[in-house]
Amino acid sequence: MAINQSSFTPRVLADLSLLFCMLLAPVCLATPATTPAALLQVKSGLTDPGGVLSGWSLEADVCSWHGITCLPGEVGIVTGLNLSGYGLSGMIPPAISGLISIESIDLSSNSLTGPIPPELGVLENLRTLLLFSNSLTGTIPSELGLLKNLKVLRLGDNRLHGEIPPHLGNCSELETLGLAYCQLNGTIPAELGSLKQLQKLALDNNTLTGGIPEQLAGCVSLRFLSVADNMLQGNIPSFIGSFSDLQSLNLANNQFSGEIPAEIGSLSSLTYLNLLGSSLTGAIPAELNRLGQLQVLDLSMNNISGKVSISAAQLKNLKYLVLSGNLLDGAIPEDLCAGGSSSLLENLFLAGNNLEGGIEALLNCGALQSIDVSNNSFTGVIPPDIDRLPGLVNLALHNNSFTGALPRQIGNLSNLEILSLFHNGLTGGIPPEIGRLQKLKLLFLYENQMSGTIPDELTNCTSLEEVDFFGNHFHGPIPERIGNLRNLAVLQLRQNDLSGPIPVSLGECRSLQALALADNRLTGALPDTFGQLAELSVVTLYNNSLEGPLPESLFQLKNLTVINFSHNRFAGSLVPLLGSSSLAVLALTDNSFSGVIPAAVARSRNMVRLQLGGNRLTGVIPAELGNLTRLSMLDLSLNNLSGDIPAELSNCVELTHLKLDGNSLTGTVPAWLGSLRSLGELDLSWNALTGGIPPELGNCLGLLKLSLSDNHLNGSIPPEIGRLTSLNVLNLNKNSLTGAIPPALQQCDKLYELRLSENSLEGPIPPELGQLSELQVILDLSRNRLSGEIPASLGSLVKLERLNLSSNRLDGQIPSSLLQLTSLHRLNLSDNLLSGAVPAGLSSFPAASFVGNELCGAPLPPCGPRSPARRLSGTEVVVIVAGIALVSAVVCVALLYTMLRVWSNWRAVSVSNSDGEESAHGGHGGGGGKWGDGKYWKVGSAVSWSAEQRHSSGSETASVLHDKSTEAAGAGKS
C-alpha cells in the first residue's frame, strides 16, 4: 500500500520528534527544529490562569509565540523565554533542556513549585537565568556550575534549602548572583572568590553561618554586597576596604563582633553602608568621614560606644544617619551640620543611647525632615527657634528629661506629621498655635506634667489620627468641637482632671477605634451620638462620675471588643452594650445596673473578662454563660443574685478568677469546680451555700485564693485542701465546720492569710501550722472549740502580723516561743483556759489580749510568790465565803459557851475554898500534890471536858480556818 507523502505535515513531524525525544531522551539530540516541541512540553507542565500561552501552537511560527525571542535574521532559533509575572503554576519540566540555543530564561514572579531541573546545566549558551519569587523547593543543583557563559543567576525568594554549591565558582562570567530570601544554610563557599567578574552578590535572609571567607577578596569587581539577616560570625574582614568599586555594603542583622574596620573608609564609591543589628564594639572610626559619596549610614543596634564622631559637614551627600540603640554618650557635636544650609542630612536617628545635653546643635541641620533622639538623657527645653527646621515632618523627643513648656513656635512647623514628646518633664499648657498644624497625624504628650485646658484650636488639626494625653494634669472640658477631627482613630485622655460632659460632637469622629476617657471627673450621661461611632472597638470610661441609663443607640456598635465602664453611676439595663458579638472584655463593676443578666452576653464567644460586680443585678446566673469557654475572669460579686451556681459554668475551663461573693446564692459548693484546673481565685463568700466543702477543690492546683466564708457550710475541712500548694489566702470564717484542723494544711506553704474563725472546729491546734513560714497577714482560729496547749511551733511564724486564738478552750501556759514573732502587732488570746504568767516580751499588748484566762503578770495584775495552781470560779468563791461565815459563827458561839462554863466553875471553886473543903480536892487528886496543882486540875477538868465534847467540830473549824488563811494569804499575793 502506498503511503501518501503529503500526510507528513510539519506538525506531524514535530509531534513525532517530541515523541521520540520523550521515549529516547538519553540519546535524543536537541536541535533548533526540536525547540517548538520542547516549548510545548514546558507548556504542558504549567497551569496558565491568564491564558498567555494559548497562542503557543505549531500552526504558528514559534518566534511569534508570546514570551519568545528569536535570533534576528534567523528562522526558529529561540534565544529568549520570558514568562515573568503571569501567575503560572506547576513545575519546570526537564524538557526545558531542549532549548539548546536559549540565552535568557525568565520565569520569575510566578507560583512555580518543585525543584530546579538539573538539566538546565546543558544549556551552554544560557547567560541569564531568572527564577526568583516563586515557590521552588529542593536544593540548588550543582549542574548550574556548568554554565560557563552565565552572567546573571537569580534564584532568590524561593523555598530552596541546603548549602550554596561551590560549583557556582566555575561560572567564571557571572556578574550577578542572587540567592537571597531562601532557606539556605552552611557557609559562604570560598570558591565564590574565583568570580572575578562578579558585581552583585546577594545572600541576605538565609541562615548562613561562619564568617565572610577571605577568598571573597578575589571578587575585585564587586559593587553590591549583601549578606544581611543571616547568622554570620567573626570580625568584619578588613579586605572589604579593597573593593574600590563597592557602592553598597549591607552586613546587617548578623552576629559580627569586634570593631568596625577603619579600612571601610577607603571605599570612595560607597553610597550605602548598613551594619545594624550585630555586636560590634568600639568607637565609630573617624575614617568613615572620608566616605564622600555616602548617602545612608546605619550603625544602629550594636554596642558601639564613645562620642558621635560623624560629621555631616564632611559627608556632604549624607541623607540618613542612623546610630540608634548603641552606647554612645556625650552631647550632640556642635559641628554635626556646620555650614547649615549646605548639609543634605534629612533623617537623624540617635534613639536609645546615653546622650545628654540639649538639642540646639540640630538647628544647624536645616534640611532635617525626621529627628528621633528618644530614649536618651537629653535635658533643657525644647528650643523656641525649633521653627528653623521648616521641613520637619517627624519629631520624636520622648523618654528624655526635657522640661519647660511646649514653645508656641511649634505651630510654624507646617509640614509636621508626628510630634512625640511623651515621658518627659514638660509643664505648662498646649499652645493654641498648635492648631496651625494641618498635616499633624500623631500627637503624643502623655506622661508629662502638662496642665491647663485642651485648647479649642486643637480641633483645627483635621489630619489628626492619634491623640494621647494620658497622665497629665489637663483640666476643664473636652473641646466641644472635637467632632471636627474626622480622621481620629485613637483618643486617649485617661488620667487627667477633665470635667464636664462628653461632647455630643464626638459622634462625628466616625473613624474612632479606641476611646479612653477613664480616670477623670467627667459627669452627665452618654450622648446618643455615641451610637454613630461604628468603627469603635475599645472604649474605657471607668473612674468617672458618668450616670444615667445607657443610650439605646449603643446597640448599633457592632465592632466593640473592649468595654470598661466600671466605677461610675450608670444605671438601667445592660442590653445596649450587647449589640456586638465580638466582646472580649465587658467590665461594669461598681455601678447601679439593675435587672437580670441578659443571656445575650453569651453571644460573644471570645469573651475573656466579664465583670459585673457591685451592681443591683437580680435573678439567677444565666446557664448560657457556660458557652463562654474562653472566659478567664467572671466577677458577679456584690449583687442580688439568687439560685444555684449553674453546672454549665463547668465548661469555662480557662477560668482563672471566679468571684460570686456577696449574693444570695443557695445550694451546695459544686464538686465540678475541681475540674477548673486554671483557677487562681475562687470567692463564694457571703452567700447562703450549704453542705460540705468538696474535696475535689484540691484538684485546683493553681489556686491562690479560696474564700468560702459567711455561708452555712458544715462538715470537716477536707485534707485535700493541703494539695493547694500555691494557695496564698484561705478563708473559711463564719460557717458551721466541725472536726479537727487537718495537719495537711502544712503543705500550703505559701499561705500568708489563714482564717478559720467562728466555726465549731475541735481538737488541738496542729503543730504543723508552725511550718507555714509565709503566714503574714493573719492566723485567725478564734471562736471555735479548740483545746489543748498553744503549740510552741507557732513561734516559727516570724512574718506573722496578727494572731487570734480567742474564744476557744486552750489551756496551759503561753509558750515563750511566741516572743519570736517580732512582726506581730495584734494578738488575741482572750477567753480561753490559759494559766500562768504572761511572757514578759508580750507585755506591750493590751490586757484585752489576755482577759478571760487564769493569767497574771503585765499587762494583767502581778503574780504573787505562791501563785495558786488555778483560779477559782465565781461559784466556788461564793460557796467558800458562805462556809467561812457559817464556821466562824459556830466557833464564836462555842467560844462564848466555853468562857461561860469556865467562869461558872471558877466561881464554884472559889466558894469551896473559902469554906475549907480542901480534903475533897485531895481525894480527887489521887495521890496528892501541890495546892496549885489541885486548883488547876479542877479548872483543867472543866475545860478538858468541854474540849472533848466539841473535839470534832473544833477540829473541822481549825481545818477550815487553815484553808481560808492559806487562801487569804494566796489572795494577798495575787
Side-chain angles (χ1 to χ4, degrees), residues 506-720:
L506 187 63
E508 300 300 321
C509 301
R510 304 295 176 86
S511 300
L512 201 61
Q513 299 176 22
L515 174 64
L517 305 180
D519 293 310
N520 282 287
R521 294 191 295 116
L522 300 175
T523 56
L526 289 186
D528 287 338
T529 54
F530 240 66
Q532 301 172 13
L533 303 176
E535 300 297 319
L536 195 61
S537 174
V538 177
V539 53
T540 60
L541 306 179
Y542 58 88
N543 288 340
N544 280 288
S545 296
L546 299 167
E547 59 188 8
L550 301 174
E552 296 294 332
S553 61
L554 294 185
F555 195 81
Q556 304 303 318
L557 304 181
K558 306 298 183 182
N559 292 310
L560 282 173
T561 59
V562 175
I563 300 175
N564 193 337
F565 289 1
S566 297
H567 309 292
N568 278 285
R569 300 172 186 171
F570 290 117
S573 173
L574 306 179
V575 173
L577 296 175
L578 304 180
S580 170
S581 59
S582 303
L583 285 174
V585 175
L586 179 59
L588 307 176
T589 306
D590 289 337
N591 281 282
S592 296
F593 290 109
S594 57
V596 300
I597 300 174
V601 170
R603 290 176 55 233
S604 295
R605 298 300 176 88
N606 292 321
M607 182 94 71
V608 294
R609 282 173 51 199
L610 178 58
Q611 297 172 267
L612 306 179
N615 283 283
R616 300 175 182 176
L617 301 172
T618 56
V620 299
I621 299 174
E624 290 81 358
L625 295 187
N627 295 328
L628 303 178
T629 55
R630 297 185 179 181
L631 204 61
S632 64
M633 174 176 282
L634 177 59
D635 182 1
L636 307 180
S637 62
L638 303 173
N639 280 287
N640 296 312
L641 301 173
S642 56
D644 292 355
I645 300 173
E648 289 79 2
L649 290 184
S650 62
N651 298 324
C652 304
V653 294
E654 296 184 16
L655 270 175
T656 59
H657 299 267
L658 179 57
K659 291 173 57 63
L660 305 179
D661 51 294
N663 283 286
S664 300
L665 300 175
T666 53
T668 60
V669 177
W672 53 258
L673 288 172
S675 65
L676 304 181
R677 302 302 174 88
S678 299
L679 205 59
E681 178 182 14
L682 176 60
D683 194 342
L684 306 180
S685 58
W686 293 94
N687 280 288
L689 300 172
T690 56
I693 299 173
E696 290 81 359
L697 290 182
N699 297 327
C700 302
L701 300 182
L703 206 60
L704 300 176
K705 177 182 178 180
L706 175 59
S707 182
L708 306 177
S709 65
D710 295 274
N711 279 286
H712 306 304
L713 302 177
N714 52 37
S716 61
I717 300 173
E720 289 81 0

Side-chain angles (χ1 to χ4, degrees), residues 47-278:
T47 299
D48 177 19
V52 295
L53 305 181
S54 59
W56 282 23
S57 171
L58 293 177
E59 297 176 353
D61 182 9
V62 67
C63 295
S64 67
W65 293 3
H66 186 84
I68 299 299
T69 302
C70 290
L71 186 66
E74 300 290 338
V75 178
I77 300 180
V78 174
T79 59
L81 172 62
N82 186 352
L83 298 177
S84 176
Y86 289 124
L88 303 175
S89 59
M91 299 175 64
I92 303 173
I96 199 169
S97 62
L99 307 177
I100 60 169
S101 58
I102 200 80
E103 296 179 1
S104 175
I105 296 176
D106 188 354
L107 300 178
S108 63
S109 302
N110 283 292
S111 299
L112 302 177
T113 56
I116 298 173
E119 290 81 359
L120 288 171
V122 305
L123 300 177
E124 58 185 21
N125 294 312
L126 194 62
R127 298 188 179 192
T128 301
L129 179 57
L130 306 179
L131 302 180
F132 62 88
S133 297
N134 281 286
S135 297
L136 299 173
T137 55
T139 61
I140 299 173
S142 59
E143 288 81 357
L144 296 183
L146 300 174
L147 303 174
K148 303 297 184 181
N149 295 309
L150 194 65
K151 291 182 178 293
V152 178
L153 176 60
R154 297 182 61 188
L155 308 179
D157 193 17
N158 277 289
R159 299 177 183 174
L160 302 172
H161 63 269
E163 298 186 355
I164 300 172
H167 306 81
L168 294 182
N170 298 326
C171 301
S172 56
E173 298 298 318
L174 201 60
E175 296 177 356
T176 298
L177 177 57
L179 305 179
Y181 291 92
C182 289
Q183 300 168 17
L184 303 174
N185 54 34
T187 60
I188 300 174
E191 289 79 359
L192 296 186
S194 302
L195 303 176
K196 307 297 183 183
Q197 308 300 320
L198 193 64
Q199 298 178 19
K200 182 175 182 178
L201 177 58
L203 305 179
D204 43 300
N205 283 277
N206 284 286
T207 55
L208 300 174
T209 55
I212 298 177
E214 60 182 16
Q215 291 83 353
L216 210 61
C219 301
V220 293
S221 301
L222 268 180
R223 295 183 179 181
F224 178 96
L225 174 59
S226 178
V227 294
D229 296 287
N230 279 285
M231 301 170 64
L232 300 174
Q233 299 172 330
N235 293 336
I236 297 174
S238 58
F239 68 73
I240 285 181
S242 66
F243 296 144
S244 57
D245 295 329
L246 198 63
Q247 298 174 9
S248 177
L249 176 59
N250 189 352
L251 308 182
N253 293 319
N254 278 284
Q255 299 172 14
F256 292 118
S257 56
E259 298 185 357
I260 300 171
E263 288 81 357
I264 290 180
S266 302
L267 301 175
S268 57
S269 299
L270 202 64
T271 61
Y272 180 90
L273 176 57
N274 190 344
L275 305 181
L276 81 86
S278 281

Side-chain angles (χ1 to χ4, degrees), residues 349-362:
F349 300 93
L350 303 177
N353 281 284
N354 300 317
L355 300 172
E356 55 190 11
I359 60 170
E360 286 76 12
L362 299 182

Side-chain angles (χ1 to χ4, degrees), residues 465-483:
E465 297 175 2
E466 295 188 33
V467 172
D468 194 338
F469 295 168
F470 163 79
N472 280 282
H473 304 291
F474 294 117
H475 62 266
I478 299 171
E480 188 60 41
R481 296 189 301 128
I482 194 75

